[in-house]
Amino acid sequence: LAPQMAGEKKAGDKKAAEAKPAEAKPAEKKGSQKKLRERPKKPKKHHASRNPVLARGIGRYSRSAMYARKAMYKRKYTAPETKAQKKKKEKPRATITKPVGGDKNGGSRVVKVRKMPRYYPTEDVPRKLLSHGKKPFSQHKRKLRASITPGTVLILLTGRHRGKRVVFLKQLGTGLLLVTGPLAINRVPLRRAHQKFVIATSTKVDINGVRIPKHLTDAYFKKKRLRKPKHQEGEIFDTEKEKYEITEQRKSDQKAVDTQILARIKKVPQLRGYLRSTFSLSNGVYPHKLVF
Amino acid sequence: VFKRFVEIGRVAFVSFGPHAGKLVAIVDVIDQNRALVDGPCSGVRRQAMPFKCMQLTDFVLKFPHSARQKHVRLAWEKENINEKWAATRWAKKIEAREKKAKMTDFDRYKVMKAKKMRNRIIKHAMKKLLKEASKKGKKLQKAQK
C-alpha cells in the first residue's frame, strides 16, 4: 500500500508540477507578448552627444559632418495630416455683410473683418527688452502673517472703524482680510481689512465649524460706481450714488455669519465686552513694548 | 546701618549679566571687586563674579570658604533657599513685573475691568463710612446746641 500511495503521491506531484509549468508557460507567453507590445511604446534612450567637445563651444565635427553622423538624411518628420487640414476651407472669413438701415441704401454693406490700422506712428516703436516674472496683480502671491489665523481678534488701525477689535474670518482672493465685528457687538459689518493696517492680537475665537458663505468674495465687497452720463454738463453729480444703501443680501449674510460667531464668543468669559471696547494709547504706553 | 554683609555663604541675587535673575552663594572673595561664586541649585557654574552685579539677600549659608560645590549644594538644599526665596516679597515683585510685561491685550482689558470693579467697591464702602461719620458729626452739633 505504502509504495502505491507513494507512487500516487509522486504522480500527483508530477501532475501538479506539470500543471504549474503549463500554467506558467501561457502566462510567460502573455507576459512576453505584453513586453513586445510595450517596447515600441517606450521611447528609446537618447544617444549621448555624437560631437565630442574640443573646447567650450567648439565641437570636433562640422555641421555637415554632424548631419551625416546623426543620419539626419534618414530622419524626416512630418506631422500627421488631420482631416481639418485636409479640408483647408477653415480660413477665417475676410469680409462680412452687415445690414444697413435707411431706404434707398441698398440694405447691406460688405465690411472687412480685419481692418487696416488707422494710425501709423511717425517713428517705429522700439522693440521692448524681454522681461520675466512680471505678473499681473491677479497672479501675485498672497501672503498672510503667521499671527493671523481664522478666529483671531484683530485691532483695526485705519478707516472709520479704527481702534475697534474685530474677528478675522478668512483671507480673500486679493489678499484682503474678511472681517466681522460681529455687528451686534461693535457695529462693524462683514468688511474687508488690509493686513498691513491691522494689529493681530494673540486672542483667538474658536471658529472651527463656522460656515462662511462662498459668495463673499472681493467682487461682492467691491465699491460700485455708476457711469452713464447721457446728459452732458449739469445733472451728472446728482444721479451718481451718494448714499450707500445696505442691501437685503448684506443683511442676511451678516446675520448668517454673526449668529454662528456670537454663539462662540459667548462661551469665552468677558470676550464680548472686550470686543465692544476700543483700543487706545495713553501716556506711558508704548506699542513696541506691548505684547498683543 | 548696614544689615547685609558680604561674607562666605551669603546668598546674592545676580542683577545683570549673563546670569541675570539667578541666585548665587559667595564662596570666597578674590579681591576688592570680585568674588568666587557658585549656584549649584540655580544653574550658575562656579566662577568669579564682580560684586557690582550682585545684590545681597537676607540668606546666609553655612560652609567653609572655598568649599566644594557639593558642600555648597548640601547647604543650599538644607536651608531650602529656593523655596524661601520664592516666598520673599522681592521674588514676588519680580514675578509680578514679568507677568505684567507678558500681558496680552485681552489680559489688559480684564485687569482694567477688575480694577474698576474693585475701586467701585472701595469707593462705595468709603462713602458709606463718610456718610455715617458726617451724620454722627451733625448729631453731636445738634446735641451741643
Side-chain angles (χ1 to χ4, degrees):
Chain A
L1 274 173
Q4 259 191 0
M5 285 196 57
E8 277 177 21
K9 267 192 182 175
K10 277 186 182 174
D13 285 338
K14 270 189 179 177
K15 277 186 185 173
E18 280 174 9
K20 274 184 189 171
E23 277 173 28
K25 272 183 185 174
E28 271 183 345
K29 273 188 182 174
K30 281 188 186 173
S32 60
Q33 279 177 353
K34 274 190 183 173
K35 278 186 182 175
L36 284 171
R37 276 182 220 155
E38 278 180 29
R39 266 182 202 158
K41 279 189 185 177
K42 279 185 187 173
K44 280 188 177 175
K45 277 188 178 178
H46 292 289
H47 196 284
S49 168
R50 296 171 207 266
N51 195 358
V53 172
L54 298 173
R56 182 155 69 117
I58 303 173
R60 167 74 183 79
Y61 300 103
S62 67
R63 271 184 197 270
S64 42
M66 281 313 296
Y67 188 90
R69 285 171 68 93
K70 289 203 287 189
M72 298 299 284
Y73 55 88
K74 278 194 202 171
R75 307 191 205 181
K76 283 185 181 165
Y77 304 105
T78 50
E81 262 195 52
T82 57
K83 286 185 183 176
Q85 278 187 333
K86 282 183 180 176
K87 275 189 184 174
K88 260 203 173 180
K89 286 178 187 175
E90 292 289 351
K91 258 190 186 175
R93 294 222 38 141
T95 61
I96 276 186
T97 44
K98 282 195 171 175
V100 161
D103 338 315
K104 295 191 188 174
N105 256 346
S108 64
R109 296 277 181 276
V110 176
V111 173
K112 268 196 186 178
V113 171
R114 301 196 66 190
K115 302 183 186 140
M116 302 301 291
R118 58 167 184 249
Y119 169 73
Y120 288 99
T122 330
E123 285 177 20
D124 281 332
V125 180
R127 192 154 217 184
K128 284 191 177 175
L129 295 164
L130 285 173
S131 69
H132 82 286
K134 305 285 180 270
K135 291 186 183 168
F137 180 68
S138 53
Q139 291 175 25
H140 283 177
K141 251 193 189 177
R142 314 294 173 191
K143 293 184 193 167
L144 187 61
R145 282 188 286 187
S147 52
I148 303 179
T149 62
T152 314
V153 172
L154 307 172
I155 301 176
L156 301 175
L157 295 173
T158 53
R160 58 176 57 209
H161 298 290
R162 63 193 83 105
K164 290 198 182 169
R165 296 183 173 101
V166 131
V167 177
F168 168 69
L169 298 174
K170 66 186 268 210
Q171 188 180 35
L172 300 171
T174 49
L176 296 170
L177 314 177
L178 177 60
V179 129
T180 179
L183 189 67
I185 293 183
N186 51 18
R187 293 302 287 170
V188 177
L190 280 167
R191 204 170 201 265
R192 297 187 291 176
H194 192 112
Q195 210 190 135
K196 282 265 172 189
F197 302 107
V198 132
I199 295 180
T201 63
S202 51
T203 325
K204 313 238 183 231
V205 184
D206 186 19
I207 285 202
N208 242 329
V210 167
R211 272 184 232 152
I212 301 166
K214 285 195 177 172
H215 59 262
L216 298 175
T217 60
D218 284 292
Y220 177 91
F221 289 106
K222 198 163 169 57
K223 284 191 186 153
K224 280 108 193 169
R225 270 163 209 176
L226 294 173
R227 259 186 202 174
K228 275 190 180 180
K230 284 190 178 175
H231 309 278
Q232 288 203 355
E233 292 177 34
E235 297 164 6
I236 308 175
F237 300 109
D238 295 334
T239 51
E240 288 192 28
K241 253 195 223 175
E242 280 181 10
K243 261 249 153 186
Y244 166 72
E245 278 140 15
I246 310 167
T247 60
E248 282 304 315
Q249 200 200 16
R250 287 241 184 182
K251 289 189 192 172
S252 63
D253 288 332
Q254 184 75 47
K255 218 183 176 186
V257 175
D258 276 2
T259 42
Q260 298 176 62
I261 295 183
L262 274 170
R264 284 156 221 263
I265 289 176
K266 283 187 181 172
K267 288 185 190 169
V268 183
Q270 293 191 306
L271 187 61
R272 194 168 169 275
Y274 175 57
L275 289 172
R276 287 189 74 203
S277 65
T278 48
F279 174 78
S280 64
L281 295 172
S282 57
N283 269 351
V285 178
Y286 305 109
H288 71 291
K289 289 220 154 179
L290 286 180
V291 170
F292 284 100
Chain B
V1 184
F2 290 108
K3 289 172 202 159
R4 300 172 183 163
F5 298 97
V6 169
E7 47 194 321
I8 310 295
R10 173 66 66 179
V11 173
F13 174 78
V14 183
S15 55
F16 61 86
H19 300 287
K22 297 184 189 161
L23 289 179
V24 284
I26 296 176
V27 172
D28 203 353
V29 169
I30 299 170
D31 61 14
Q32 200 201 347
N33 304 322
R34 295 177 299 157
L36 177 62
V37 119
D38 199 354
C41 303
S42 53
V44 181
R45 286 199 190 177
R46 181 172 263 239
Q47 62 194 264
M49 197 182 274
F51 287 116
K52 273 193 182 173
C53 71
M54 285 189 256
Q55 291 175 351
L56 306 179
T57 66
D58 287 327
F59 307 120
V60 185
L61 302 171
K62 258 230 139 185
F63 52 76
H65 79 271
S66 315
R68 206 163 122 215
Q69 185 172 63
K70 173 183 170 188
H71 298 295
V72 176
R73 186 195 294 273
L74 284 176
W76 194 295
E77 282 169 357
K78 188 175 173 202
E79 294 285 321
N80 232 334
I81 296 293
N82 283 340
E83 280 185 19
K84 285 188 185 171
W85 168 251
T88 59
R89 284 183 175 266
W90 188 347
K92 287 184 191 162
K93 273 191 262 171
I94 294 172
E95 205 200 316
R97 222 178 294 143
E98 282 174 13
K99 277 193 182 169
K100 193 175 182 187
K102 275 192 209 165
M103 264 203 293
T104 70
D105 197 44
F106 191 21
D107 293 336
R108 257 172 265 131
Y109 168 79
K110 289 192 244 181
V111 163
M112 182 263 283
K113 283 287 174 186
K115 268 195 192 173
K116 212 174 173 186
M117 216 194 293
R118 178 175 179 260
N119 288 337
R120 284 230 173 108
I121 296 170
I122 292 173
K123 254 193 222 170
H124 185 70
M126 191 62 185
K127 281 194 174 164
K128 251 200 209 170
L129 290 172
L130 284 171
K131 215 180 176 187
E132 284 177 21
S134 71
K135 267 189 190 172
K136 273 189 183 173
K138 280 184 183 170
K139 271 189 184 173
L140 279 174
Q141 277 186 353
K142 270 192 183 176
Q144 278 179 356
K145 282 182 183 173

Short mmCIF file of all heavy atoms in Angstrom, two decimals, chain A residues 97-140:
data_model
loop_
_atom_site.label_atom_id
_atom_site.label_comp_id
_atom_site.label_asym_id
_atom_site.label_seq_id
_atom_site.Cartn_x
_atom_site.Cartn_y
_atom_site.Cartn_z
N THR A 97 -20.97 90.57 -44.46
CA THR A 97 -22.00 91.50 -44.94
C THR A 97 -22.88 91.87 -43.77
O THR A 97 -23.37 91.01 -43.05
CB THR A 97 -22.86 90.86 -46.04
OG1 THR A 97 -23.18 89.52 -45.61
CG2 THR A 97 -22.12 90.81 -47.36
N LYS A 98 -23.05 93.17 -43.58
CA LYS A 98 -23.85 93.66 -42.45
C LYS A 98 -25.06 94.43 -42.98
O LYS A 98 -24.94 95.16 -43.98
CB LYS A 98 -23.02 94.59 -41.58
CG LYS A 98 -22.07 93.89 -40.68
CD LYS A 98 -21.55 94.82 -39.59
CE LYS A 98 -20.76 94.05 -38.56
NZ LYS A 98 -20.17 94.94 -37.57
N PRO A 99 -26.18 94.29 -42.29
CA PRO A 99 -27.36 95.05 -42.76
C PRO A 99 -27.22 96.53 -42.43
O PRO A 99 -26.64 96.90 -41.41
CB PRO A 99 -28.51 94.41 -41.98
CG PRO A 99 -27.86 93.87 -40.75
CD PRO A 99 -26.48 93.47 -41.12
N VAL A 100 -27.75 97.35 -43.30
CA VAL A 100 -27.66 98.80 -43.12
C VAL A 100 -29.07 99.37 -43.19
O VAL A 100 -29.87 98.95 -44.03
CB VAL A 100 -26.76 99.39 -44.22
CG1 VAL A 100 -27.00 100.89 -44.36
CG2 VAL A 100 -25.32 99.14 -43.90
N GLY A 101 -29.38 100.31 -42.29
CA GLY A 101 -30.74 100.85 -42.25
C GLY A 101 -30.95 101.99 -43.22
O GLY A 101 -30.03 102.39 -43.93
N GLY A 102 -32.11 102.48 -43.27
CA GLY A 102 -32.45 103.61 -44.16
C GLY A 102 -32.93 103.13 -45.53
O GLY A 102 -32.44 102.13 -46.04
N ASP A 103 -33.88 103.86 -46.18
CA ASP A 103 -34.33 103.43 -47.52
C ASP A 103 -33.32 103.89 -48.53
O ASP A 103 -32.53 104.79 -48.29
CB ASP A 103 -35.68 104.07 -47.92
CG ASP A 103 -36.45 104.51 -46.69
OD1 ASP A 103 -36.52 103.73 -45.73
OD2 ASP A 103 -36.96 105.65 -46.71
N LYS A 104 -33.37 103.31 -49.65
CA LYS A 104 -32.51 103.66 -50.78
C LYS A 104 -31.03 103.47 -50.47
O LYS A 104 -30.18 104.04 -51.11
CB LYS A 104 -32.73 105.14 -51.18
CG LYS A 104 -34.10 105.42 -51.70
CD LYS A 104 -34.11 106.81 -52.29
CE LYS A 104 -35.53 107.23 -52.67
NZ LYS A 104 -35.58 108.62 -53.12
N ASN A 105 -30.74 102.68 -49.41
CA ASN A 105 -29.34 102.46 -49.06
C ASN A 105 -28.81 101.13 -49.55
O ASN A 105 -27.65 100.83 -49.41
CB ASN A 105 -29.18 102.51 -47.53
CG ASN A 105 -28.55 103.82 -47.10
OD1 ASN A 105 -28.02 104.56 -47.92
ND2 ASN A 105 -28.61 104.10 -45.82
N GLY A 106 -29.68 100.34 -50.10
CA GLY A 106 -29.20 99.06 -50.63
C GLY A 106 -29.16 97.95 -49.61
O GLY A 106 -28.62 96.90 -49.88
N GLY A 107 -29.69 98.14 -48.40
CA GLY A 107 -29.90 97.02 -47.47
C GLY A 107 -28.67 96.51 -46.76
O GLY A 107 -28.71 96.25 -45.57
N SER A 108 -27.55 96.34 -47.41
CA SER A 108 -26.39 95.77 -46.72
C SER A 108 -25.10 96.27 -47.31
O SER A 108 -25.06 96.79 -48.42
CB SER A 108 -26.44 94.24 -46.80
OG SER A 108 -26.34 93.83 -48.15
N ARG A 109 -24.07 96.12 -46.53
CA ARG A 109 -22.73 96.51 -46.96
C ARG A 109 -21.80 95.33 -46.73
O ARG A 109 -22.01 94.54 -45.81
CB ARG A 109 -22.20 97.69 -46.14
CG ARG A 109 -22.96 98.95 -46.29
CD ARG A 109 -22.52 99.70 -47.53
NE ARG A 109 -23.28 100.94 -47.61
CZ ARG A 109 -24.49 101.03 -48.14
NH1 ARG A 109 -25.08 99.97 -48.66
NH2 ARG A 109 -25.13 102.18 -48.15
N VAL A 110 -20.75 95.27 -47.51
CA VAL A 110 -19.71 94.26 -47.29
C VAL A 110 -18.61 94.94 -46.50
O VAL A 110 -18.04 95.94 -46.95
CB VAL A 110 -19.18 93.72 -48.63
CG1 VAL A 110 -18.04 92.76 -48.35
CG2 VAL A 110 -20.30 93.05 -49.41
N VAL A 111 -18.33 94.41 -45.32
CA VAL A 111 -17.39 95.06 -44.39
C VAL A 111 -16.22 94.13 -44.14
O VAL A 111 -16.40 92.92 -43.98
CB VAL A 111 -18.11 95.38 -43.05
CG1 VAL A 111 -17.11 95.89 -42.03
CG2 VAL A 111 -19.22 96.38 -43.27
N LYS A 112 -15.01 94.70 -44.11
CA LYS A 112 -13.83 93.88 -43.79
C LYS A 112 -13.85 93.51 -42.32
O LYS A 112 -14.14 94.33 -41.46
CB LYS A 112 -12.56 94.72 -44.05
CG LYS A 112 -11.97 94.59 -45.42
CD LYS A 112 -10.53 95.14 -45.39
CE LYS A 112 -9.93 95.17 -46.77
NZ LYS A 112 -8.61 95.74 -46.75
N VAL A 113 -13.48 92.26 -42.03
CA VAL A 113 -13.43 91.85 -40.63
C VAL A 113 -12.16 92.37 -39.96
O VAL A 113 -12.18 92.89 -38.86
CB VAL A 113 -13.49 90.30 -40.53
CG1 VAL A 113 -13.22 89.86 -39.11
CG2 VAL A 113 -14.83 89.81 -41.00
N ARG A 114 -11.02 92.23 -40.59
CA ARG A 114 -9.78 92.76 -40.02
C ARG A 114 -9.38 93.98 -40.82
O ARG A 114 -9.00 93.87 -41.98
CB ARG A 114 -8.68 91.71 -40.09
CG ARG A 114 -9.07 90.44 -39.33
CD ARG A 114 -7.85 89.57 -39.07
NE ARG A 114 -6.92 90.21 -38.17
CZ ARG A 114 -5.69 89.77 -37.92
NH1 ARG A 114 -5.27 88.69 -38.54
NH2 ARG A 114 -4.90 90.41 -37.10
N LYS A 115 -9.46 95.15 -40.19
CA LYS A 115 -9.24 96.39 -40.91
C LYS A 115 -7.80 96.82 -40.81
O LYS A 115 -7.07 96.44 -39.90
CB LYS A 115 -10.16 97.47 -40.34
CG LYS A 115 -11.61 97.07 -40.41
CD LYS A 115 -12.51 98.15 -39.90
CE LYS A 115 -13.91 97.58 -39.89
NZ LYS A 115 -14.67 97.98 -38.73
N MET A 116 -7.38 97.68 -41.75
CA MET A 116 -6.03 98.22 -41.73
C MET A 116 -5.90 99.18 -40.55
O MET A 116 -6.88 99.77 -40.13
CB MET A 116 -5.74 98.97 -43.04
CG MET A 116 -5.89 98.11 -44.28
SD MET A 116 -4.80 96.67 -44.24
CE MET A 116 -3.22 97.45 -44.43
N PRO A 117 -4.69 99.35 -40.01
CA PRO A 117 -4.52 100.28 -38.88
C PRO A 117 -4.89 101.69 -39.29
O PRO A 117 -4.58 102.12 -40.39
CB PRO A 117 -3.05 100.17 -38.52
CG PRO A 117 -2.41 99.46 -39.63
CD PRO A 117 -3.43 98.68 -40.35
N ARG A 118 -5.53 102.43 -38.34
CA ARG A 118 -5.99 103.78 -38.67
C ARG A 118 -4.92 104.81 -38.39
O ARG A 118 -5.08 105.98 -38.64
CB ARG A 118 -7.23 104.09 -37.86
CG ARG A 118 -6.92 103.99 -36.39
CD ARG A 118 -7.98 104.57 -35.53
NE ARG A 118 -7.48 104.47 -34.16
CZ ARG A 118 -7.98 103.68 -33.25
NH1 ARG A 118 -9.01 102.94 -33.52
NH2 ARG A 118 -7.45 103.62 -32.05
N TYR A 119 -3.79 104.33 -37.80
CA TYR A 119 -2.76 105.30 -37.43
C TYR A 119 -1.42 104.60 -37.45
O TYR A 119 -1.27 103.50 -36.93
CB TYR A 119 -3.05 105.85 -36.03
CG TYR A 119 -1.91 106.66 -35.45
CD1 TYR A 119 -1.63 107.93 -35.93
CD2 TYR A 119 -1.12 106.14 -34.43
CE1 TYR A 119 -0.58 108.66 -35.42
CE2 TYR A 119 -0.08 106.88 -33.90
CZ TYR A 119 0.19 108.14 -34.40
OH TYR A 119 1.22 108.86 -33.89
N TYR A 120 -0.45 105.22 -38.09
CA TYR A 120 0.92 104.71 -38.02
C TYR A 120 1.77 105.75 -37.32
O TYR A 120 1.75 106.92 -37.70
CB TYR A 120 1.49 104.48 -39.42
CG TYR A 120 0.89 103.29 -40.13
CD1 TYR A 120 -0.13 103.46 -41.06
CD2 TYR A 120 1.35 102.00 -39.87
CE1 TYR A 120 -0.68 102.38 -41.72
CE2 TYR A 120 0.80 100.92 -40.52
CZ TYR A 120 -0.22 101.11 -41.44
OH TYR A 120 -0.75 100.04 -42.08
N PRO A 121 2.51 105.38 -36.27
CA PRO A 121 3.33 106.39 -35.60
C PRO A 121 4.44 106.89 -36.51
O PRO A 121 4.87 106.18 -37.41
CB PRO A 121 3.90 105.64 -34.39
CG PRO A 121 3.81 104.20 -34.76
CD PRO A 121 2.65 104.05 -35.68
N THR A 122 4.88 108.15 -36.25
CA THR A 122 5.91 108.76 -37.09
C THR A 122 7.19 107.95 -37.05
O THR A 122 7.81 107.67 -38.06
CB THR A 122 6.20 110.18 -36.60
OG1 THR A 122 5.03 110.70 -36.01
CG2 THR A 122 6.64 111.05 -37.74
N GLU A 123 7.60 107.58 -35.81
CA GLU A 123 8.77 106.70 -35.66
C GLU A 123 8.29 105.35 -35.19
O GLU A 123 7.35 105.26 -34.42
CB GLU A 123 9.71 107.27 -34.59
CG GLU A 123 10.50 108.46 -35.08
CD GLU A 123 11.37 109.01 -33.95
OE1 GLU A 123 11.64 108.27 -32.97
OE2 GLU A 123 11.77 110.17 -34.04
N ASP A 124 8.93 104.32 -35.64
CA ASP A 124 8.53 102.98 -35.22
C ASP A 124 8.77 102.82 -33.73
O ASP A 124 9.75 103.31 -33.18
CB ASP A 124 9.30 101.91 -35.99
CG ASP A 124 8.71 101.72 -37.37
OD1 ASP A 124 7.49 101.96 -37.51
OD2 ASP A 124 9.46 101.34 -38.28
N VAL A 125 7.86 102.11 -33.11
CA VAL A 125 8.02 101.87 -31.67
C VAL A 125 9.18 100.91 -31.46
O VAL A 125 9.21 99.85 -32.10
CB VAL A 125 6.72 101.26 -31.09
CG1 VAL A 125 6.89 101.01 -29.61
CG2 VAL A 125 5.54 102.16 -31.36
N PRO A 126 10.14 101.24 -30.60
CA PRO A 126 11.28 100.34 -30.42
C PRO A 126 10.87 99.04 -29.75
O PRO A 126 9.93 99.00 -28.98
CB PRO A 126 12.22 101.14 -29.52
CG PRO A 126 11.34 102.08 -28.80
CD PRO A 126 10.22 102.41 -29.72
N ARG A 127 11.60 98.01 -30.06
CA ARG A 127 11.26 96.70 -29.52
C ARG A 127 11.61 96.66 -28.03
O ARG A 127 12.71 97.01 -27.64
CB ARG A 127 12.10 95.65 -30.25
CG ARG A 127 11.58 94.28 -29.94
CD ARG A 127 11.84 93.28 -30.93
NE ARG A 127 10.72 92.38 -31.03
CZ ARG A 127 10.76 91.33 -31.81
NH1 ARG A 127 11.81 91.13 -32.55
NH2 ARG A 127 9.74 90.53 -31.86
N LYS A 128 10.70 96.20 -27.25
CA LYS A 128 10.94 96.17 -25.79
C LYS A 128 11.82 94.97 -25.45
O LYS A 128 11.73 93.91 -26.06
CB LYS A 128 9.62 96.04 -25.05
CG LYS A 128 8.83 97.31 -25.02
CD LYS A 128 7.68 97.18 -24.04
CE LYS A 128 6.94 98.49 -23.96
NZ LYS A 128 5.75 98.37 -23.13
N LEU A 129 12.66 95.12 -24.42
CA LEU A 129 13.51 94.02 -23.97
C LEU A 129 12.66 92.98 -23.25
O LEU A 129 11.64 93.31 -22.67
CB LEU A 129 14.57 94.54 -23.01
CG LEU A 129 15.58 95.49 -23.62
CD1 LEU A 129 16.32 96.25 -22.54
CD2 LEU A 129 16.58 94.72 -24.48
N LEU A 130 13.12 91.75 -23.30
CA LEU A 130 12.37 90.70 -22.64
C LEU A 130 12.45 90.87 -21.13
O LEU A 130 13.50 91.22 -20.59
CB LEU A 130 12.97 89.33 -23.00
CG LEU A 130 12.67 88.81 -24.39
CD1 LEU A 130 13.48 87.55 -24.63
CD2 LEU A 130 11.20 88.50 -24.56
N SER A 131 11.33 90.66 -20.47
CA SER A 131 11.37 90.64 -19.01
C SER A 131 10.72 89.35 -18.55
O SER A 131 9.97 88.73 -19.29
CB SER A 131 10.59 91.82 -18.44
OG SER A 131 9.21 91.64 -18.69
N HIS A 132 11.04 88.92 -17.34
CA HIS A 132 10.42 87.69 -16.85
C HIS A 132 9.92 87.89 -15.44
O HIS A 132 10.44 88.73 -14.71
CB HIS A 132 11.43 86.53 -16.90
CG HIS A 132 12.35 86.51 -15.72
ND1 HIS A 132 13.37 87.40 -15.58
CD2 HIS A 132 12.38 85.73 -14.62
CE1 HIS A 132 14.01 87.16 -14.47
NE2 HIS A 132 13.43 86.15 -13.86
N GLY A 133 8.94 87.18 -15.09
CA GLY A 133 8.43 87.23 -13.72
C GLY A 133 7.58 88.43 -13.42
O GLY A 133 7.26 88.69 -12.27
N LYS A 134 7.19 89.19 -14.42
CA LYS A 134 6.33 90.35 -14.14
C LYS A 134 4.89 89.89 -14.31
O LYS A 134 4.38 89.77 -15.42
CB LYS A 134 6.62 91.50 -15.11
CG LYS A 134 8.06 91.90 -15.12
CD LYS A 134 8.42 92.70 -13.87
CE LYS A 134 9.87 93.11 -13.88
NZ LYS A 134 10.76 92.14 -13.26
N LYS A 135 4.24 89.60 -13.18
CA LYS A 135 2.90 89.04 -13.26
C LYS A 135 1.86 90.12 -12.99
O LYS A 135 2.12 91.08 -12.25
CB LYS A 135 2.74 87.95 -12.20
CG LYS A 135 3.56 86.72 -12.47
CD LYS A 135 3.23 85.65 -11.45
CE LYS A 135 4.10 84.45 -11.69
NZ LYS A 135 4.00 83.54 -10.56
N PRO A 136 0.68 89.94 -13.54
CA PRO A 136 -0.39 90.88 -13.20
C PRO A 136 -0.85 90.65 -11.76
O PRO A 136 -0.61 89.59 -11.19
CB PRO A 136 -1.50 90.51 -14.19
CG PRO A 136 -1.21 89.12 -14.58
CD PRO A 136 0.27 88.96 -14.52
N PHE A 137 -1.55 91.65 -11.22
CA PHE A 137 -1.95 91.60 -9.82
C PHE A 137 -2.73 90.34 -9.48
O PHE A 137 -2.56 89.77 -8.41
CB PHE A 137 -2.80 92.83 -9.48
CG PHE A 137 -3.26 92.86 -8.07
CD1 PHE A 137 -2.37 93.04 -7.03
CD2 PHE A 137 -4.60 92.69 -7.75
CE1 PHE A 137 -2.79 93.07 -5.71
CE2 PHE A 137 -5.04 92.72 -6.44
CZ PHE A 137 -4.13 92.90 -5.41
N SER A 138 -3.55 89.88 -10.41
CA SER A 138 -4.39 88.72 -10.10
C SER A 138 -3.55 87.47 -9.88
O SER A 138 -4.01 86.52 -9.25
CB SER A 138 -5.39 88.49 -11.22
OG SER A 138 -4.70 88.40 -12.45
N GLN A 139 -2.31 87.46 -10.39
CA GLN A 139 -1.49 86.26 -10.23
C GLN A 139 -0.43 86.41 -9.15
O GLN A 139 0.42 85.54 -9.00
CB GLN A 139 -0.79 85.92 -11.55
CG GLN A 139 -1.74 85.45 -12.61
CD GLN A 139 -1.02 85.25 -13.92
OE1 GLN A 139 0.19 85.02 -13.93
NE2 GLN A 139 -1.74 85.36 -15.01
N HIS A 140 -0.45 87.51 -8.42
CA HIS A 140 0.55 87.70 -7.37
C HIS A 140 0.37 86.69 -6.27
O HIS A 140 -0.72 86.18 -6.03
CB HIS A 140 0.42 89.11 -6.78
CG HIS A 140 1.02 90.15 -7.66
ND1 HIS A 140 0.95 91.49 -7.35
CD2 HIS A 140 1.72 90.07 -8.80
CE1 HIS A 140 1.57 92.18 -8.28
NE2 HIS A 140 2.03 91.35 -9.18
#
